[in-house]
Amino acid sequence: MANPALMQNYGNRTLTLVRGEGNYVWDDADRRYLDALSGIAVCGLGHCHPAVTAAIQDQASTLLHTSNLYNLLPQEKLAEQLVALSGMDNVFFSNSGAEANEAAIKLARKLGNERGLACPKIIVTEGAFHGRTLATLTATGNPKVQQGFAPLPEGFLRVPYNDVKAIEKLAAEHSDIVAILVEPVQGEGGIRIPDADYLPRLRTLCDQQDWFLMLDEIQTANGRSGKLFAYQHCPGLLPDVVTTAKGLGNGVPIGACLARGKAAQLFTAGTHGSTFGGNPLACRAALAVLETLQGEQLIERATELGSQLLDQLQRELAGCPHVKEIRGLGLLIGIELDRPCGDLVELARNQGLLINVTAGNVVRLLPPLTLTDAECQQIATGVAGLIRDFAQQAA
């Protein structure tokens, strides 16, 4: 039962989690769960990773907050590391992924206004999820998220995901487009992986049309795809803007909007800001995350674990009725069924396993990058067994 003192926007929550350690969390009855969701791609290093905990404890006893009116050394150090690792020019820090995407949208609007466009357009895709602020829920390709919040901001054009021809058609019809905002892999939309040439073709099209290519890597970055940023799977490709959050702080709220070239010059003094964005505590946590990802070779490990998990799921679910497709990139794994399967979440929980169902019929697995081989096998075996039983009962 949800506490009545809370707004009821998260529905009826029946599980109370009270502590976490490594790849496990415990409820208020001291029952342990293997976390195959990582707080929806947040705790990539597992729960309470010692390096992150130490960084937080040290910073909490040093300096928690002043203001972005002043130089902040952890913020500057984190910006330098992200710029070096991404190939981008500079960073704006926020508190969340939605705010990072909001910053990206504002960059595109700023470009359009500089070009004298009355209503500059951003191309977005069906099935996308970019956040729940008014601008980002408008960019999101899910009518359920938008329902009840009209009037929505104008300035977005929607096309099917992984469809370059649809974008080329828009280019011929509209002279006021300034950017494409797209996820390299759609997470909330059901772990949808585009063709290998999708991003390179978008890059070429943006160059031809003088548009920004803006990538939403809120869920896919921070090593989860097997690269620090998923666009790095495309050799030589750089976006104009890329956003990230979730795994960057391993549980400490932080978002980042990175920009390059013209996009990096659009925000000037007073044009955008945040009270808490880039505060010392969040930046120290993120620095510890980046150091741990690299020091423990966890990005490479995400590739290994993802391959193991995908292979085992495909073996165990081969020929299983109602399974349409099993797909993945690194530790972004989706198992699409031919029918709604939300009941699997509670069935998994009863077996001590936390999973998620997204888009109504896709089992989404986003486990920590710190899984052992045995835990990886446990997830595959447990999930496959649940799906086989579910399919049998549905037959």
Side-chain angles (χ1 to χ4, degrees):
M1 178 74 73
N3 189 317
L6 294 166
M7 290 190 184
Q8 301 300 296
N9 52 302
Y10 296 113
N12 188 23
R13 296 181 289 192
T14 57
L15 180 63
T16 301
L17 298 175
V18 296
R19 68 185 175 94
E21 180 180 342
N23 303 321
Y24 294 89
V25 289
W26 282 259
D27 68 14
D28 53 355
D30 206 31
R31 185 176 183 209
R32 190 177 78 159
Y33 302 84
L34 178 55
D35 189 354
L37 189 57
S38 306
I40 313 182
V42 168
C43 297
L45 307 187
H47 296 275
C48 303
H49 191 283
V52 180
T53 300
I56 292 170
Q57 289 175 334
D58 180 65
Q59 192 61 45
S61 63
T62 305
L63 181 67
L64 275 180
H65 177 75
T66 57
S67 166
N68 282 310
L69 293 172
Y70 310 104
N71 293 322
L72 298 166
L73 296 179
Q75 183 186 93
E76 293 176 8
K77 186 174 179 182
L78 179 60
E80 289 169 357
Q81 288 206 13
L82 285 172
V83 163
L85 292 167
S86 67
M88 307 299 281
D89 290 344
N90 56 22
V91 189
F92 169 80
F93 288 114
S94 60
N95 307 290
S96 67
E99 289 173 80
N101 284 335
E102 190 84 17
I105 291 168
K106 287 182 74 172
L107 286 173
R109 288 285 181 95
K110 197 82 165 50
L111 176 69
N113 277 263
E114 286 194 0
R115 291 178 178 175
L117 300 173
C119 183
K121 305 292 194 309
I122 299 171
I123 296 174
V124 293
T125 64
E126 296 172 2
F129 185 85
H130 297 296
R132 292 179 184 270
T133 65
L134 266 180
T136 57
L137 74 82
T138 306
T140 290
N142 181 350
K144 283 174 62 179
V145 173
Q146 301 168 351
Q147 190 172 9
F149 295 107
L152 300 177
E154 57 183 342
F156 296 94
L157 300 169
R158 196 171 307 284
V159 295
Y161 188 61
N162 196 27
D163 188 341
V164 178
K165 286 190 179 301
I167 297 176
E168 292 172 339
K169 184 171 182 292
L170 284 182
E173 296 171 347
H174 297 266
S175 60
D176 53 0
I177 296 169
V178 290
I180 299 172
L181 174 61
V182 68
E183 297 159 280
V185 174
Q186 287 192 335
E188 195 77 12
I191 311 295
R192 301 197 176 279
I193 302 166
D195 296 338
D197 66 349
Y198 184 54
L199 292 186
R201 291 180 69 190
L202 294 187
R203 177 69 274 174
T204 299
L205 191 55
C206 285
D207 289 340
Q208 291 170 346
Q209 300 290 336
D210 200 16
W211 299 342
F212 285 167
L213 176 61
M214 307 199 301
L215 300 182
D216 175 344
E217 295 230 26
I218 304 304
Q219 189 164 141
T220 53
N222 307 300
R224 178 157 295 281
S225 78
K227 298 286 185 182
L228 185 65
F229 290 90
Y231 69 79
Q232 293 170 333
H233 287 282
C234 304
L237 185 142
L238 283 175
D240 298 289
V241 179
V242 60
T243 57
T244 185
K246 288 191 179 288
L248 183 58
N250 209 59
V252 178
I254 184 170
C257 175
L258 294 92
R260 182 177 67 89
K262 171 70 174 174
Q265 307 303 319
L266 287 168
F267 282 165
T268 54
T271 53
H272 196 46
S274 169
T275 296
F276 298 111
N279 69 75
L281 186 74
C283 290
R284 278 293 304 276
L287 282 164
V289 169
L290 291 179
E291 184 177 336
T292 304
L293 283 173
Q294 296 172 92
E296 297 184 9
Q297 290 83 48
L298 292 178
I299 299 174
E300 295 81 358
R301 180 66 174 156
T303 300
E304 295 173 8
L305 288 166
S307 179
Q308 289 178 33
L309 194 49
L310 204 57
D311 288 348
Q312 189 165 352
L313 284 167
Q314 287 171 337
R315 280 199 305 274
E316 297 213 17
L317 291 171
C320 182
H322 308 305
V323 173
K324 291 179 66 178
E325 187 180 21
I326 304 169
R327 49 186 179 257
L329 180 67
L331 283 174
L332 296 141
I333 306 283
I335 307 158
E336 182 174 351
L337 276 63
D338 65 357
R339 62 196 59 207
C341 58
D343 291 348
L344 287 171
V345 172
E346 185 167 353
L347 293 170
R349 185 187 302 172
N350 293 339
Q351 294 190 10
L353 181 63
L354 298 185
I355 64 169
N356 173 245
V357 168
T358 190
N361 66 331
V362 179
V363 176
R364 178 170 52 165
L365 303 176
L366 304 166
L369 283 58
T370 49
L371 283 183
T372 65
D373 288 347
E375 290 164 343
C376 185
Q377 183 168 350
Q378 182 182 344
I379 292 171
T381 302
V383 170
L386 285 166
I387 292 176
R388 282 196 301 268
D389 291 345
F390 180 80
Q392 194 170 23
Q393 291 171 13

